[in-house]
Structure formats: C-alpha cells, structure tokens
Amino acid sequence: MTGRALSRRTLLQGSLVAMAFNPASRSWAATLEPGSVPLPPLEGALLMDAASLTAAAEDFGHIVHRTPWAVLVPGSVEDIVAMVRFARRQGLHIAAARGLGESHSTYGQSQVPAGIVIDMSALSTIHEIGESSAWVDAGVRWRQLLEATLPSGRSPPTLTDYIELSIGGTLSVGGIGGQAFRWGLQVDNVLELEVVTGEGELVRCSPSCERHLFDAVRSGLGQFGIIVRARVRLVEVPPRARTYTALYGDLHRFLDDQRWLIEDGRFDYVEGAVVPSAGGWAFQLEAVKYFTPGSEPQDDRLLAGLGFQPGTLQVTDSSYFDFANRLAPLVAMLQQLGIWEFPHPWMDMFVPARSAAAFVEEVLSQTTEADTGQGPILLYPFRSAALTAPFLRVPTDPHVFLFSLLRTAIPPTPENVAALVQKNRALFERLTAIGGKMYPVDAVPLSRADWRRHLHPYWERFEHAKRCFDPARILTPGQGIF
C-alpha cells in the first residue's frame, strides 16, 4: 500500500505554525494571546508562513491568485473534521486542494481568500484493494492507484488522460476520459464516499446509505462536503493496449465515425483531437483496444468501415500502464522548458451532438494556433445515459461531445491571458445558446445567474443541498456559486 507519513519535525521546519485565532483582528497567532481562541488539537498542523500561503494561492491556470490566511496539512481525517467545525464557528471559509498550488482547475476554484486551504496530498493512503473495488484516501493520485491495482490485472474503469490528478479532486468535478462512453465518468464509478460536510460531520454515503449526500457530493464542486475517502470500482483489464490513430479531413465524417464506434463497442477507448493541417485543421481519431499477448486485435476488423484518410493510419502497442500514463513524457518536457508553469486559460465544453458539427466549425473558424499556444484541442463523444451524478450537467442529447480548447497562454502576459479569458466568456455564451454546458474547471468568469443557468433544472435541488450540508456556506467559495 502507499501513503505519505507526516513527520511533525519535518512539517515544522521553515514553517510558521498557527496555535490560535483572534476573532477580533481576524488573524492567526503562533501563541495564545488575550482574546484569541486556541485551535483544536491536530495531528498535523495549520501553517501561516508566507511560502505556504503563496503556494496555496496558485493552481494550474496561473491566472487567479487568492491568498488564504492559513493552510491545513492534516495528519488525519479527524484534523479535517476539527478544522471544518472550527471554521464554521469562526465564520471562516475552507476548501480542499490536491496539494499546495497543485489544483488542476484553472480559475481559482480551490482557492480561499482570507480562509483555510486543506492540502489533501497529506492524506494519500490506499487502505484496501479488493476484487472489484479499492478504498483510498482522497489525496491518492490515480497513477498511484493504478500502480497498485495493475499487478492483479485491475484498473479503474475510466481514467483521465492525465493520471496525476487526485481521486477526491476529480470526483468533486466529474473525471472524464476515453472510456467514458462505456463506463461513464469517474463519478459514475465510485461506490462509496466518506465526506466531511460543511457542518463538520463525518458521513459515509453510498447509493444505499445517505443517498442525498452521495448524489450531492459527486460533481458537487466542493459545495457540500470535503471528500476524504472513496471506494472506487475496479474492473479486469488486459496487460497490453493497441492504439490506432488516423486523420480525417471531413469533420462530419469524423464525428459520425466516432459516434458509430461508441455505439458499436469494438474499441475500449475512443477519443479524438483537432490538429493543425496546411494552415487549417484536420481531425485525428484515437481508438484503443486492450489485449492479452497471444490474442492480438484483428486490425482489419476493427478498422472496417471507417472513413479516415488513406496513408494516415498509425498503430502502436504498449503496456496498459504506459498507455494510461502516456502524457508523462510530454509533461516532463513542458516542465523542463518552463511552459508547464505558463497560464492555462482552458475551455472545456459539453456540446450536444445535434449541434456539434456547426458549433465546432464556427469555433475553429475563429481559432488559430496562437489562440491555443499549441495546446491540444480535444473532440470526442460519450453517451449521456451512462451518467449518474445529478449535478454533472450535460446537454439533453443521447450523445454529447467533449470539445476542449486546452490553451497555454503564449506569450504569458496579463494582456494575452485577459484576451483569452474574454474569448472563453464569448464561447460560454454561444455554447449556452445551443444547449451546451461547460465542464466547470475552466477559466471563465461566471456570475451567480450563470451558475443558475448552468445547473438548470437542478438549481433548486443544488440550493437545497447547500442548506442541508453547508448552511453556513463556508465550503469552497472560489467557485463563486453562492
């Protein structure tokens, strides 16, 4: 099993640790001063040094910077319970993040101005791996879980393309990948959750126990509780993966073939991308079949009937893990070049299939490589019938396309970032007009009215869940919903 043990001596080195809170001055203190309130006993620590606070004011977007008053590095789940209760009594906001500055959202969603950020990477133990599920801390990365389950030939059914994301983080939003057409999103493959509500109650919930909380927290954007543990479904997988990529010049045929493949079921994974081509755009199919050596896929049968351009097909074999972790070399290169730290004004859109071709053509006609900073553009379908989390809002079509402009701001200037965010906002308006929805990790400024429109027709249900589980509204203010 994996885990990260907290050494208090290591924790304290170079850090300023809070011992009390002064309600009058709304500030933390390293000693118990007159009028201050002592912190509850903690196995970890509450940090208030400048380095920790600065790190907590970052995320993958590198656009919004909201500085908290303190950072909780929990030594246990009980620490989170204690600090949520303390925050509620003192009227402080609090939110969980994958790690300090490591949140993969792009517009300050996990940041907490004048409040407390919880470093969930401190809790990253895999407690149990069984035949059909694993019980894990929310701070575990999907890569860690996959490394632990593959020796027994098992994997989570759906994996995000980038598997360094935390389990608690993606379950709070959705967690989409190329297996979603078959299995649903990651929130559709969690069997049980342990959650600290906004009232500081530790509750275990599932489809058969505390269902209201279970449905609220999955894709609940951190509004109702902090996921601290999860039971994740596991399925058997073969050890090898064969990847087929091929190019299309015609968008309509590309979209039709993708929809055909997810209904046909011949592949285990179906994605696609928009790629530069001769001053314009082409469309790249990516489809994968898992297999056991000795039972290799029949290429001709798998590719029969597809309308990709002759001469563009590429076929590669790899281990299942290397396929799942295929972005690691690219990320390492971007980190080495310093581009990984550039602003990322991303825009992820759920587009109804009925409008996909026209909408994609319209957006691409207004998009240049400079607009993306050579970041990828994803385009692939899944079935809405596979989705079970009420607050994951998608269009009402049977087929929905993920259309993602994963922008990198080059040059990384405030002016360029502001221009790209403004373009995202315009895209959001157009998307909403055709019945589309956004995937809410994006760099899009939203009003409360926008959130009501996004969550329609579940806004009243969303509000009711907030009143039930976080009546003081202390959780995750960075989303700007309430």
Side-chain angles (χ1 to χ4, degrees), residues 39-60:
L39 293 182
L42 299 173
E43 295 179 48
L46 194 70
L47 309 182
M48 56 181 184
D49 59 283
S52 298
L53 302 186
T54 299
E58 273 288 3
D59 60 20
F60 185 66

Side-chain angles (χ1 to χ4, degrees), residues 207-448:
S208 60
C209 179
E210 302 290 346
R211 179 64 182 262
H212 186 198
L213 179 61
F214 184 72
D215 281 346
V217 170
R218 293 180 303 139
S219 298
L221 308 177
Q223 295 304 303
F224 315 109
I226 297 166
I227 297 171
V228 293
R229 288 193 180 127
R231 184 170 300 281
V232 176
R233 177 180 285 119
L234 300 177
V235 296
E236 292 187 13
V237 291
R240 304 288 293 172
R242 178 165 293 178
T243 300
Y244 304 82
T245 60
L247 291 178
Y248 287 70
D250 181 81
L251 173 62
H252 293 264
R253 182 62 190 271
F254 174 70
L255 299 180
D256 287 345
D257 277 4
Q258 283 189 317
R259 292 171 66 183
W260 177 36
L261 288 179
I262 69 170
E263 288 300 325
D264 177 88
R266 67 180 77 174
F267 287 105
D268 298 300
Y269 168 106
V270 176
E271 283 199 11
V274 182
V275 296
S277 176
W281 301 103
F283 310 96
Q284 180 176 278
L285 175 69
E286 181 183 19
V288 182
K289 185 68 177 178
Y290 309 141
F291 68 96
T292 299
S295 300
E296 280 73 13
Q298 299 179 29
D299 297 349
D300 291 344
R301 182 177 177 181
L302 288 171
L303 299 171
L306 297 180
F308 55 82
Q309 294 176 334
T312 65
L313 175 67
Q314 297 185 31
V315 182
T316 58
D317 287 358
S318 66
S319 70
Y320 180 93
F321 178 80
D322 285 344
F323 166 69
N325 197 39
R326 64 198 176 280
L327 291 187
L330 174 62
V331 170
M333 181 187 72
L334 294 174
Q335 289 172 333
Q336 185 177 16
L337 294 173
I339 297 174
W340 190 252
E341 302 303 320
F342 281 18
H344 294 97
W346 280 10
M347 185 66 185
D348 295 273
M349 298 166 279
F350 291 138
V351 183
R354 64 181 181 273
S355 307
F359 181 77
V360 170
E361 285 178 336
E362 176 187 345
V363 173
L364 293 180
S365 70
Q366 303 167 8
T367 301
T368 66
E369 281 191 78
D371 289 330
T372 67
Q374 300 182 17
I377 301 176
L378 304 182
L379 180 59
Y380 63 89
F382 58 94
R383 292 181 291 191
S384 58
L387 309 184
T388 62
F391 297 147
L392 177 72
R393 305 309 305 140
V394 299
T396 56
D397 269 28
H399 292 144
V400 175
F401 280 86
L402 175 72
F403 182 34
S404 298
L405 306 181
L406 304 185
R407 310 180 194 265
T408 298
I410 299 176
T413 61
E415 294 78 13
N416 189 32
V417 170
L420 293 173
V421 169
Q422 186 175 10
K423 289 182 178 181
N424 285 353
R425 176 67 205 192
L427 280 176
F428 171 77
E429 295 288 349
R430 181 72 185 110
L431 176 71
T432 303
I434 64 166
K437 299 288 185 180
M438 62 174 284
Y439 186 52
V441 298
D442 294 332
V444 183
L446 298 176
S447 67
R448 294 185 182 183

Side-chain angles (χ1 to χ4, degrees), residues 145-197:
L145 179 58
L146 187 60
E147 288 175 333
T149 61
L150 277 182
S152 60
R154 289 169 174 78
S155 168
T158 297
L159 291 167
T160 50
D161 291 336
Y162 181 54
I163 59 174
E164 291 294 341
L165 307 180
S166 72
I167 289 174
T170 61
L171 294 181
S172 296
V173 182
I176 190 168
Q179 309 94 332
F181 74 92
R182 186 184 302 277
W183 296 102
L185 276 62
Q186 289 177 329
V187 288
D188 303 304
N189 291 284
V190 60
L191 307 175
E192 186 179 19
L193 293 169
E194 202 164 74
V195 176
V196 179
T197 70

Side-chain angles (χ1 to χ4, degrees), residues 439-462:
Y439 186 52
V441 298
D442 294 332
V444 183
L446 298 176
S447 67
R448 294 185 182 183
D450 292 328
W451 279 111
R452 291 187 182 94
R453 185 168 51 168
H454 170 76
L455 287 160
H456 179 79
Y458 285 97
W459 172 251
E460 288 77 15
R461 184 172 173 179
F462 199 86

Side-chain angles (χ1 to χ4, degrees), residues 40-94:
L42 299 173
E43 295 179 48
L46 194 70
L47 309 182
M48 56 181 184
D49 59 283
S52 298
L53 302 186
T54 299
E58 273 288 3
D59 60 20
F60 185 66
H62 304 298
I63 299 169
V64 173
H65 306 279
R66 303 183 180 112
T67 305
W69 281 346
V71 169
L72 174 65
V73 183
S76 65
V77 169
E78 288 71 26
D79 281 1
I80 297 176
V81 171
M83 284 310 302
V84 169
R85 290 177 179 176
F86 185 88
R88 188 168 188 265
R89 289 194 300 269
Q90 302 303 326
L92 297 169
H93 286 114
I94 189 167

